[in-house]
Amino acid sequence: MSDWSIADSNFEKHPEKAGIGYNPLIVADPPTCPVNNGTECGDGHDSSEWKGEFFPGIPNIKYEGPSSKNPLVFKWYNAGEEILGKKMKDWMRFSVAFWHTFLKANFEFLEKLGVDRWCFHDRDIAPDGNTLQESNSNLDEVVALAKELQGKKIRPLWGTAQLFMHPRYIHGGATSPDLGVYAYAAAQVKKAMEVTHYLGGENYVFWGEKTMSLGYQTLLNTDMERELDHMARFFEASIAYKKKIGFNGTLLIEPKPQEPTKHQYDWDAATAANFLRKYGFIDEFKLNIECNHATLSGHSCHHELETARINGLLGNIDANTGDPQIGWDTDQFPMDIGEATLVMLSVVRNGGLAPGGFNFDAKLQRESTDVDDLFIAHVAGMDTLARGLRNVAKLIEDASLTKLVQKRYQSFDTELGAEVEAGKANFELLERKAMEWGEPEVLSAKQMLLANI
């Protein structure tokens, strides 16, 4: 990167206030050319003097209601409206991903969209250098700018380290058979956690495929037990460092079954929960569930969310989906109202997601090339989830779904049922009851009625 001078900032003088070691940060604006402002951008241009807009034709997105035909307004998402005891913005806690689209324009985009959270990968906002020190310096420059641009109203929902594009991670990061790669991965995660903390991030994410490179192509050359133990020691070190620097955010793991490896160790929510429980980390992590990854693992998104929720692990939702006809991670914006209703049903049952939320780790499809497509996609995704929340409120008010489920399990709402659920009914007792009652009557599960509700 450039040879801009390092400013003697308060952060540099007092690194202990950010809870991290000495990390010089560049506080000058990088020499970025204005977008479509009709001026020249030559040597010595000071981008801080430019007060124009990156999206001059796009207004701040407002709520107009379902009858509106304007694609650049919310029809279902009304941030301040209270539903089921919370404002919609507090149920959703929306965040926009930094890496798929833009740099400085990101913060104007957030303001116009009415979103006050963003999220990032370290290497997607700042490039690798020739050395670890240079990479850290590159990241510091961008982080200093991001700190200035986000101001006091915007903060990261989460940050993370990207450990999969560089050739050094071809055999993995935290599960690499090479100790040098393992150490490099640890150093990169350490730095990413520091800058996430410095920027006021609320969570830190470990992706199986992107931020940890966890998995294998064949077991013939893999010591699976040793790799899982190494992964556990890596997570153990991350927990310790989080506490050392005073980062109070939640550590999140995002399950994914495949890609780039054939089999990843965090295959799905149940696998991740089992790993956390085995190694004693169940109270230190939560899960970041992505609907597209649920599809790849052979589950519905609702299944993955409920698995996380009932294990006390639902912490964040990666708000993208995939095409069921395509066998890879396509990162599409959520548009299925039925699926969104089930997603929000899990969120409501969970009592919300805070300090997590919904992040749009999604991107435009290749044929959508206009600038306003970026806004339309986010608006549609936010509206879809908001409509799902409104549907859940109706389901709860109507109570039909609740009553059907209660009726299905009503035989356990008896004295013997209570003994079974309390672990007090042995096989001898249950055998006597089976002989006394005879052949049980099997009732309909009413799936067709449920589908109509």
Side-chain angles (χ1 to χ4, degrees):
M1 295 185 73
S2 71
D3 58 353
W4 307 330
S5 61
I6 297 177
D8 185 22
S9 65
N10 288 331
F11 174 71
E12 183 180 343
K13 292 177 182 177
H14 305 288
E16 71 279 2
K17 291 184 179 179
I20 66 178
Y22 174 77
N23 284 299
L25 291 173
I26 307 301
V27 296
D29 251 1
T32 304
C33 292
V35 176
N36 297 329
N37 71 332
T39 63
E40 295 295 325
C41 181
D43 292 338
H45 174 78
D46 181 3
S47 65
S48 65
E49 295 178 358
W50 181 61
K51 304 300 182 183
E53 295 182 61
F54 288 93
F55 308 105
I58 307 294
N60 288 357
I61 308 299
K62 305 293 185 182
Y63 172 74
E64 289 189 3
S67 63
S68 177
K69 302 299 182 182
N70 185 350
L72 290 174
V73 300
F74 293 118
K75 300 174 178 63
W76 301 97
Y77 177 63
N78 186 10
E81 182 179 348
E82 189 170 298
I83 293 180
L84 298 174
K86 293 182 191 226
K87 292 181 179 180
M88 293 189 83
K89 66 177 184 179
D90 295 326
W91 279 116
M92 304 303 188
R93 293 171 57 82
F94 285 126
S95 170
V96 173
F98 193 106
W99 60 89
H100 283 315
T101 43
F102 35 38
L103 186 60
K104 289 185 71 174
N106 175 63
F107 294 94
E108 180 185 320
F109 183 84
L110 291 172
E111 181 179 356
K112 291 195 170 187
L113 196 62
V115 172
D116 56 8
R117 291 175 178 84
W118 63 294
C119 45
F120 65 93
H121 288 151
D122 57 352
R123 293 299 181 262
D124 291 318
I125 64 172
D128 257 312
N130 293 321
T131 64
L132 180 61
Q133 293 88 337
E134 185 178 329
S135 296
N136 287 347
S137 179
N138 292 346
L139 184 58
D140 282 338
E141 294 187 10
V142 176
V143 167
L145 176 61
K147 180 78 168 179
E148 177 186 346
L149 292 173
Q150 72 177 20
K152 295 181 179 180
K153 294 183 179 179
I154 297 174
R155 60 162 58 184
L157 181 66
W158 50 255
T160 191
Q162 191 249 67
L163 307 180
F164 77 108
M165 287 193 66
H166 196 282
R168 79 174 68 89
Y169 296 121
I170 191 171
H171 300 302
T175 58
S176 173
D178 188 298
L179 180 58
V181 175
Y182 184 95
Y184 203 107
Q188 191 174 333
V189 168
K190 172 181 177 289
K191 179 67 176 178
M193 192 177 292
E194 290 171 355
V195 299
T196 300
H197 180 38
Y198 174 69
L199 290 169
E202 298 176 276
N203 305 270
Y204 183 87
V205 179
F206 294 93
W207 258 292
E209 88 282 14
K210 292 182 181 178
T211 62
M212 299 295 286
S213 295
L214 309 171
Y216 62 83
Q217 300 294 352
T218 174
L219 284 174
L220 296 176
N221 64 2
T222 301
D223 187 334
M224 183 192 291
E225 183 177 16
R226 200 170 189 184
E227 289 197 359
L228 286 168
D229 286 344
H230 291 172
M231 184 168 82
R233 300 289 77 82
F234 197 102
F235 282 141
E236 188 174 54
S238 72
I239 294 166
Y241 194 65
K242 166 196 165 177
K243 294 176 180 178
K244 181 177 181 179
I245 65 175
F247 177 49
N248 295 321
T250 301
L251 299 179
L252 299 166
I253 295 174
E254 179 166 328
K256 186 180 181 183
Q258 301 159 328
E259 190 196 6
T261 60
K262 179 179 179 180
H263 183 101
Q264 291 178 186
Y265 295 134
D266 55 345
W267 181 274
D268 58 10
T271 305
N274 183 62
F275 171 85
L276 293 174
R277 194 169 283 112
K278 175 184 177 180
Y279 288 99
F281 302 149
I282 197 71
D283 295 325
E284 301 288 351
F285 287 84
K286 290 189 181 295
L287 300 183
N288 181 29
I289 300 298
E290 179 183 311
C291 289
N292 201 163
H293 295 176
T295 303
L296 295 178
S297 64
H299 304 307
S300 68
C301 187
H302 193 209
H303 168 91
E304 286 292 89
L305 292 170
E306 285 297 281
T307 300
R309 184 185 69 80
I310 64 177
N311 281 281
L313 293 172
L314 180 54
N316 196 80
I317 297 176
D318 209 330
N320 65 25
T321 60
D323 190 319
Q325 295 176 311
I326 299 177
W328 65 83
D329 198 359
T330 53
D331 287 346
Q332 297 170 224
F333 283 85
M335 303 293 181
D336 187 322
I337 297 167
E339 182 177 58
T341 301
L342 296 175
V343 167
M344 292 311 303
L345 186 60
S346 289
V347 171
V348 170
R349 286 172 173 171
N350 198 58
L353 295 171
F358 284 92
N359 65 270
F360 285 105
D361 176 20
K363 53 184 176 285
L364 298 179
Q365 301 307 289
R366 61 186 297 170
E367 298 90 349
S368 297
T369 57
D370 290 341
V371 171
D372 67 351
D373 288 334
L374 189 60
F375 284 88
I376 292 170
H378 282 82
V379 168
M382 294 166 73
D383 260 348
T384 299
L385 290 165
R387 191 168 182 182
L389 177 60
R390 293 179 184 276
N391 287 346
V392 170
K394 291 179 181 178
L395 284 173
I396 291 174
E397 180 182 359
D398 176 72
S400 296
L401 180 61
T402 301
K403 291 176 181 177
L404 278 169
V405 174
Q406 288 175 343
K407 184 176 181 180
R408 191 175 183 215
Y409 292 92
Q410 66 183 359
S411 65
F412 282 89
D413 298 327
T414 59
E415 182 178 351
L416 179 58
E419 289 185 37
V420 169
E421 294 182 341
K424 297 179 180 179
N426 58 35
F427 272 7
E428 290 84 356
L429 172 61
L430 293 171
E431 182 186 46
R432 288 197 302 272
K433 289 296 182 182
M435 290 181 175
E436 176 186 336
W437 293 338
E439 186 64 30
E441 179 184 4
V442 179
L443 303 177
S444 171
K446 295 295 183 184
Q447 284 101 327
M448 298 302 100
L449 179 57
L450 289 167
N452 281 317
I453 292 176

